[in-house]
Structures are given as C-alpha cells and as structure tokens.
Amino acid sequence: MVGPPILFLCALVGYPFLYGIWLSLEDRPVAHAGTFVGLANFVADAHDPVFWRVTINTFVYTFFATILKMVGGLGLALVMNQNFRGKNLIRALMLLPFIVPTVLSTIAWMWMLDPGFSVINWLLKYFGLANPGPSWLGNPTLAMISLIIVNVWRGLPFYGITLLAGLQTISPDLYEAATIDGASTWHRFIYVTLPLLKPVIFIVTMFSIIFTFADFQLVYVLTRGGPANATHLFATYAFDIAMGGGQLGMGASVALAMLPPLALIIIAMSIYMKPNKS
Amino acid sequence: MANIVNAASRRDVLKISALTAVGGILGASRAGAAPKQMTMMHESSFIPAYDAYFKNTLAPAYEKATGIKIVYETVSVGSIQTRDTTVAETGTGPEMAQMAFNWPFLFDQKLVDVTDIAKIIGDKAGGWHANSAEAVVVNGKWKAIPFGNIGQLMNYRMDWFEEVGVKSFPETWAELLEAGIKLKKAGHPFGFELGHGFGDNHGWLYPLLWSFGAREVDKDGKTVAIDSAETAAAIDFCREFFQKTMFEDVLGWTDVSNNKAFLSEQISCTNNAESILYVAKRDFPDIGKVTGQAQNPKGPSGERFHMLNPWTHGIFTHTPDVQAAKDFMVWLMDPKQVAGWYDVADSYYGPFLHAYDDASFWHKEPRNLPYRDSMANSHLPGWPAPISRPQSESVAKYVVVDMFAKACAGKSTKEVIADASAQLKQIFKSA
C-alpha cells in the first residue's frame, strides 16, 4: 500500500528536485550537454548584484504579504463566523479571488493600476487627492507595494476559509465557561480562540510562505520584475536566466537559493509553534 | 497575389527536390518512404489571416502536391521560447519550429544544418539581406532559415506633431527631444518602454546606444566596452528625454503598455512594430488616419540603427526524415508560396530576401516603407559582437535596459555605468 505513494513522490517530487540540484552544479546551456562545475554557479550568483536585489525583494514581498494575509484572514474568519443574513452566499463569494485564474485576475489588476485607466487614480482625482495619480507600477517602491496588495487580495480567502474552518471546531462551551469566569471579548480571543487556532494558523502560514516565496505568475504578468529589478523575485529571475538566457544551470542555482531560507523558516516556525511552548 | 499557391503544382515540388538532389546539395537522400505528416510550430500571430493562410492554403496545397500533411501548431504569444526549449531538450515534438532573436544559436546542437537549402532559397529569391546571417549562422553553418523581421520603429501622431510645428518626423534624437518637450507641454507626452518587456525596451535602447557611438561589448565578443564617454552621453540624453518628454509610468511598462497608451491617445510617440498602425486602422480608424511611422533618429555619430527582430524556421535534429522537412522548407520559401504568406500579413514580417524589396505588399500601406528601409541598419543586441551565450544572459538580465532605466529613475550616470560594466564583466568572463 505504501509503494504507490512513495513511487509517486519519487517521480513527481524527488526526481525533479534532485535533477534541479544536479543542474545547479553544471554549466548547462539549453540544448547542450552540461559540464560539472561544482558550486561555480552559486559563486557567480553571489557576485551578481541583481541576485542580492532579488533576495531582498523576495523576503520583503513574502514578509509583508504573509503578515497582511494572516491578520486580514483572521479578521475575515472572525467576521464570517458570526451569524448574519446571506452568510453562506458571502462565504462563497469570498472565495472568488482564489478561484479566478491568477493570470486573469492579474490582468484586471494591471488595468486597475494603469495610470491612464486606473479606477483608483480616477477616485483620487475625483476627490482631489492627487492629480495625476501615482504611478503604481512605474515607481519602484509603489510597484512592490502594488504587488503585495494584489498578492494579499488573492491569498486572503485561503487564510479566511481555512481559519474559519478552524474557528468552527472550537467548542462554544469554552467561550461560555470563559464568559462565566468574567473574560471580556478580547480575553476570550487571546486565551481561547488564538491558542486553539494556533495549529491551523501554523499550517496556513507555512503554505502561504512557501507559495508567496515562490510566486511567479503575478509578478510575471504585472511587471516582469521591473522597474529596474525592483520587483524581481527568485522564481521570475530564475526563469529569465534559464529560459530567456538559455542558462539552465545558473537558473537552477537561483531557484535553489530559495531552499535554505524556506527550510530555515519552516524549522523555526515548527519550533515556535510546538504545543508545549504555548 | 491571388491564388499564388495553386500555381505550385506537384511538378514544381518534384522539380525542387530533383534539382537539389541532382546538385548533390542536400546531401543524404531519404532513407525510407516519405512521412505522412510533419508539424510546424509557430507563435500565434496577432494577425489572424496570417495563421489562417498557412492552415487553409499552404498546408492543403503541400498535401495535395506531395501527400504529406503539414500540421500548423500554434502556441500563445510569449510562450514559443519555452515550447522550443522543451522540444529541443526532450527531442520529441514538432519537426520544425519558429525561432526568434538568437535562438538558432541557443539551440544550435539540436538544429539541423540548413546551409544547403538556405543557398537554394536565397538564389531563387534575389539573395539574402546581409544581416539575416547575424541570427542564424552559427560556426559558419545556417541553423535556421530566416523568415521575416518584425521591425521596431517610431510610431507617432502626425496631427499632434504638426500642431506644435513639426511637419515631418525629426531626423535626429536631439530634434526629437525638442519636439517631445513641446508635445508634453501641449498635453501629449511620449511613451517609450523602460521596463522589463520582451522587446519594446531593447527595441529603442540598443539603437539609441549605438547611434551615440557606444557599444556594449567589442567586436571580439569578449571585451566589455560599455564604460565609455559615448555611453555616458547616451545615458545623459536618455535621462533628459525621459524627464522632459515622458511620465514615470514608462519605467514599469511591459510590451503591451505602449500599444495601449498610444491607442487610448495618452501618448504621441513610441517605438513599436507595425502592430500599432495595423490595430489602429482596424479598430480605431480615426487614430489610424493620423498615425505615422518613421525610422529611428540619427545620433551624434551621424548614424541611425534599429533592432533586428528576426523570425526564423528551424528543423530539429530529432526529425525522422530530415530530407522531407528540408524539401518542405524549400517549397514553403519558394516565392510562389511564401509571397502570399507575407502578403496577408501586410508586411508585418519584413522578408530577408531581396526579391521582396519592392514587393507589392510594401506599397499597400506606404507608411510601412520605413520598416523595409530599416533592415539595412538593424542588428541584434550585442552588435557588433557575434551572437553568444553571454550576450543572451545580458539580455535576459536586462543589463542595458536597466542601466538606462536606473539613470532615468535618478541614479548618476557614473553609478549606472559602473553597475552595468561590473555585471557585464561577470557575464562575459566565460567568453
């Protein structure tokens, strides 16, 4: 019974992973035989100023997007956990950003962030707040902020729905007992809700960090890493080098650079979230 | 151009094959029976008639003449390189495919040497333009058959230029700057891509660099030459051009942005392929009437340059019957067939063969003639160095584009040249 899943994992996860490692150790032009070069590609990355810019970008993007999704998702779940009319419809609608293919929704955002057509800029202009409106994708800082906002918009439902499922497993008896003991709403949230949600938050955050850290589509459609590399992430930079430049070995080394920080983040979070620590 | 394909009879096809075989040019003869089917992979064109012509006219004509079915497989815009890479890496899939830029160099080991048929095709159609070899000749061998150049030129609003007293398109970058200052003041800024698109950024920035006499790398393809007074002058000009004629958003533009901005009347001038005029005439006739096209301006060197943006056709080495694929390519590029294909695209794909220098499709829309005339001074990124792997890496990393973009965003000329030079030295270390 264990055989098929193991084979499946080896074929679809193990082989590509190990092949990726092997590629990163080769000078491997596209459609040419590779030459083993050891760590030369990683050394070249270390001397590449764009690589370091990409590293900073990826951490900034992941950190802010994950924090905002976590806080926003928790708020969304708490609201959705209340009883109100049309609750089921709203819950279903909430999933829309997550269901719509990323490329499509990102194209819609591209129009919304275009200064000439932007509804945001139109509103800013209408209320006399800015004229002309900001250049959302032309200014390096605003471009990163815009990407984070779009990522949060897209990822929020995943957090919201998963945390909502977690909230619904908490027994109402616990809240009743806390209320009888004189706990305020805030205290019930801090001492009942949060500790019991911690395992769910942990799992969702781990997934979110992995997805956000390795994000590709959103950046590729909106900015392709511009302006001047201000929004390049590991995945988009690796793709440009491997596909655009035909340097598969170097592209693999950039992609593999994601591995150590991701592994460290996951280990650190696992230690922090251990039940006995709470 | 009516029914030109029908003129190609089975006899024509046999004649081509016989000629090549008798001449011993094509080398090995076919080992077994002719294949029943072959596939040609292409990026889908934004001109629907272009793809339809192959599917509905060329492929059936070839099948009728030879019994070999040609499948025309289209892939979405922007994904052809990924598909070509997959086919080349795995050795399975279409026998023939469209390439672009310097890909025949990247995939050279997986592409059949087509020097023999290139000569046949060239001889039959007035010979090849000199620069067609830039993108396909690898170590002295033709690795693909040049098909057409998608020129990148100036697209501008003739009416708005006239309103500020500019009757014809400026001859030099300095004059264009002058016109741009007036147009921006009149509420019609310029919009040239400085972001990370596929080609509209390289399309004007490399020619700008060259026209100032600057070069990214020396002719030897090894010595980094970006750190020069000419580069500094080009950067200073670009910064001024950006600040005085454009708006901040162009720093984040990708390739669709300038088309969108021009067709929504946000900008008065940009650098693009013929697609802006084509779409304007089709969907925005009022804008189409006042859209002009011109060659890139001359720089202080007195020369003007353009980006070479070649579409070529290669045959993969995994093709079971290479001879059959070569025969098809010779048939396809025969003026009896290919002239009709060029014609339906309204000169969007500028032929690399001299026989078409004065073809009727150039005169259907005289505003497209600058695209024809730009061929003589069009080059690939990295020129005058030959195509190379480091050059591909430089383009993929947007070294030259970002050098200009960072200067426009506020960094000093010295700083951006130092950054680009350091990056290029690292990239070309292995050359």
Side-chain angles (χ1 to χ4, degrees):
Chain A
M1 288 300 282
V2 186
I6 288 178
L7 270 177
F8 183 81
L9 277 177
C10 286
L12 296 180
V13 180
Y15 174 71
F17 177 67
L18 293 174
Y19 187 59
I21 293 176
W22 177 244
L23 268 183
S24 72
L25 302 173
E26 279 193 320
D27 173 20
R28 172 72 160 80
V30 65
H32 286 63
T35 317
F36 184 78
V37 291
L39 297 174
N41 287 326
F42 294 96
V43 174
D45 291 340
H47 287 95
D48 176 7
V50 182
F51 175 82
W52 292 110
R53 178 71 200 252
V54 164
T55 307
I56 293 166
N57 289 347
T58 311
F59 274 96
V60 168
Y61 179 72
T62 307
F63 178 78
F64 286 104
T66 307
I67 290 284
L68 288 170
K69 280 186 281 190
M70 192 197 288
V71 175
L74 187 56
L76 201 64
L78 289 169
V79 172
M80 288 297 133
N81 201 32
Q82 309 300 313
N83 275 321
F84 56 90
R85 259 178 88 178
K87 187 175 68 179
N88 290 336
L89 180 70
I90 300 289
R91 280 181 185 175
L93 287 177
M94 204 176 80
L95 277 174
L96 269 182
F98 198 59
I99 295 164
V100 177
T102 309
V103 172
L104 282 184
S105 56
T106 309
I107 287 173
W109 275 101
M110 194 199 263
W111 283 93
M112 286 168 61
L113 297 169
D114 184 306
F117 305 96
S118 170
V119 64
I120 305 162
N121 284 16
W122 184 85
L123 286 170
L124 290 174
K125 222 157 137 181
Y126 185 80
F127 290 109
L129 295 171
N131 189 19
S135 174
W136 297 104
L137 300 177
N139 179 288
T141 312
L142 283 179
M144 179 54 92
I145 291 172
S146 301
L147 285 178
I148 290 170
I149 290 170
V150 181
N151 181 284
V152 170
W153 171 84
R154 193 181 174 276
L156 211 57
F158 175 63
Y159 260 97
I161 289 292
T162 317
L163 294 182
L164 179 63
L167 279 177
Q168 289 179 339
T169 62
I170 300 174
S171 167
D173 296 349
L174 294 172
Y175 289 112
E176 272 175 34
T179 309
I180 291 165
D181 288 346
S184 65
T185 310
W186 174 247
H187 284 133
R188 288 202 297 276
F189 173 70
I190 293 293
Y191 297 112
V192 180
T193 310
L194 219 46
L196 290 169
L197 264 188
K198 229 174 186 180
V200 185
I201 294 175
F202 168 67
I203 294 291
V204 182
T205 305
M206 275 234 291
F207 273 119
S208 179
I209 287 176
I210 293 166
F211 291 145
T212 312
F213 210 83
D215 202 356
F216 175 83
Q217 293 181 74
L218 202 154
V219 179
Y220 207 69
V221 174
L222 275 184
T223 62
R224 286 179 55 95
N229 302 315
T231 59
H232 242 331
L233 305 183
F234 278 127
T236 50
Y237 192 49
F239 181 84
D240 274 353
I241 293 172
M243 284 295 161
Q247 310 273 29
L248 297 183
M250 193 171 282
S253 72
V254 172
L256 269 179
M258 283 191 265
L259 188 67
L262 272 181
L264 281 176
I265 289 167
I266 290 165
I267 291 168
M269 281 193 66
S270 307
I271 294 167
Y272 178 74
M273 298 297 282
K274 264 185 182 170
N276 57 1
K277 206 176 175 238
S278 65
Chain B
M1 225 36 82
N3 252 346
I4 211 159
V5 169
N6 293 342
S9 64
R10 175 187 290 268
R11 198 186 307 152
D12 289 325
V13 175
L14 292 176
K15 207 194 301 175
I16 292 164
S17 297
L19 271 174
T20 53
V22 170
I25 300 162
L26 291 187
S29 60
R30 186 176 296 135
K36 286 183 179 160
Q37 182 177 303
M38 291 189 294
T39 299
M40 164 75 98
M41 184 169 69
H42 241 261
E43 180 173 279
S44 86
S45 174
F46 85 98
I47 303 170
Y50 174 81
D51 291 332
Y53 191 80
F54 194 104
K55 279 182 197 162
N56 305 331
T57 308
L58 293 172
Y62 195 68
E63 190 172 6
K64 195 176 166 194
T66 63
I68 300 171
K69 185 179 178 185
I70 304 293
V71 176
Y72 186 69
E73 182 186 321
T74 50
V75 299
S76 60
V77 175
S79 57
I80 185 76
Q81 190 177 12
T82 314
R83 283 284 289 133
D84 279 345
T85 302
T86 311
V87 175
E89 279 286 316
T90 59
T92 55
E95 289 87 354
M96 298 165 283
Q98 175 232 312
M99 312 267 151
F101 306 112
N102 64 350
W103 306 349
F105 175 84
L106 292 181
F107 304 132
D108 73 312
Q109 286 190 4
K110 303 288 175 165
L111 292 173
V112 171
D113 176 7
V114 290
T115 311
D116 45 9
I117 62 169
K119 185 174 178 349
I120 296 166
I121 293 166
D123 288 349
K124 210 171 167 104
W128 295 101
H129 277 260
N131 55 1
S132 57
E134 265 185 41
V136 295
V137 176
V138 185
N139 297 325
K141 291 175 182 167
W142 289 58
K143 285 293 182 163
I145 300 295
F147 174 72
N149 182 45
I150 305 176
Q152 292 277 133
L153 274 76
M154 293 290 167
N155 302 245
Y156 68 105
R157 283 289 293 258
M158 295 185 288
D159 54 341
W160 289 341
F161 270 66
E162 271 184 37
E163 275 171 25
V164 296
V166 183
K167 304 287 177 204
S168 58
F169 195 80
E171 270 291 295
T172 65
W173 282 107
E175 288 167 20
L176 184 63
L177 169 65
E178 231 174 274
I181 293 169
K182 290 179 193 164
L183 280 153
K184 191 177 179 183
K185 275 185 189 151
H188 306 303
F190 287 176
F192 288 70
E193 182 190 321
L194 278 154
H196 278 193
F198 293 106
D200 292 349
N201 40 15
H202 301 113
W204 74 283
L205 289 168
Y206 272 101
L208 176 76
L209 186 79
W210 296 330
S211 70
F212 272 74
R215 304 287 182 260
E216 186 183 6
V217 194
D218 229 357
K219 268 184 190 168
D220 62 8
K222 292 174 184 169
T223 315
V224 173
I226 201 78
D227 192 353
S228 68
E230 289 82 3
T231 304
I235 291 170
D236 289 340
F237 172 82
C238 187
R239 187 189 294 111
E240 191 182 359
F241 190 56
F242 163 78
Q243 287 168 347
K244 294 184 175 168
T245 73
M246 298 185 231
F247 45 96
E248 191 183 18
D249 211 50
V250 298
L251 293 169
W253 272 8
T254 55
D255 281 7
V256 291
S257 310
N258 59 345
N259 297 57
K260 213 165 62 177
F262 193 94
L263 294 170
S264 59
E265 305 197 289
Q266 291 176 39
I267 55 171
S268 57
C269 184
T270 190
N271 193 268
N272 202 71
E274 284 176 22
S275 54
I276 283 185
L277 179 60
Y278 186 93
V279 175
K281 279 162 64 179
R282 189 187 64 196
D283 302 333
F284 308 94
D286 289 341
I287 299 175
K289 278 178 207 153
V290 290
T291 298
Q293 298 179 133
Q295 290 195 61
N296 291 345
K298 289 176 185 169
S301 70
E303 289 182 283
R304 68 171 101 240
F305 291 96
H306 300 88
M307 180 57 61
L308 189 68
N309 189 7
W311 272 27
T312 55
H313 292 137
I315 301 171
F316 286 110
T317 48
H318 67 256
T319 300
D321 191 335
V322 168
Q323 190 59 54
K326 283 185 170 182
D327 287 349
F328 170 71
M329 214 74 103
V330 171
W331 178 87
L332 175 71
M333 292 304 289
D334 189 289
K336 286 178 185 145
Q337 281 71 243
V338 79
W341 205 18
Y342 287 132
D343 188 58
V344 292
D346 278 0
S347 77
Y348 183 73
Y349 307 100
F352 282 104
L353 289 157
H354 283 296
Y356 305 98
D357 287 352
D358 205 30
S360 59
F361 52 77
W362 285 115
H363 299 285
K364 281 201 284 190
E365 175 49 88
R367 284 179 287 177
N368 287 341
L369 284 170
Y371 283 82
R372 178 192 69 177
D373 301 335
S374 71
M375 188 76 96
N377 45 38
S378 296
H379 299 289
L380 283 173
W383 176 84
I387 50 176
S388 66
R389 280 174 49 204
Q391 187 53 52
S392 293
E393 192 181 330
S394 163
V395 171
K397 289 182 171 175
Y398 298 96
V399 177
V400 167
V401 170
D402 285 346
M403 176 180 76
F404 283 110
K406 283 187 225 166
C408 292
K411 273 195 166 185
S412 74
T413 304
K414 209 176 155 188
E415 212 176 342
V416 296
I417 291 179
D419 283 354
S421 186
Q423 248 187 305
L424 288 171
K425 279 178 184 161
Q426 176 70 24
I427 290 170
F428 280 87
K429 202 168 59 181
S430 60

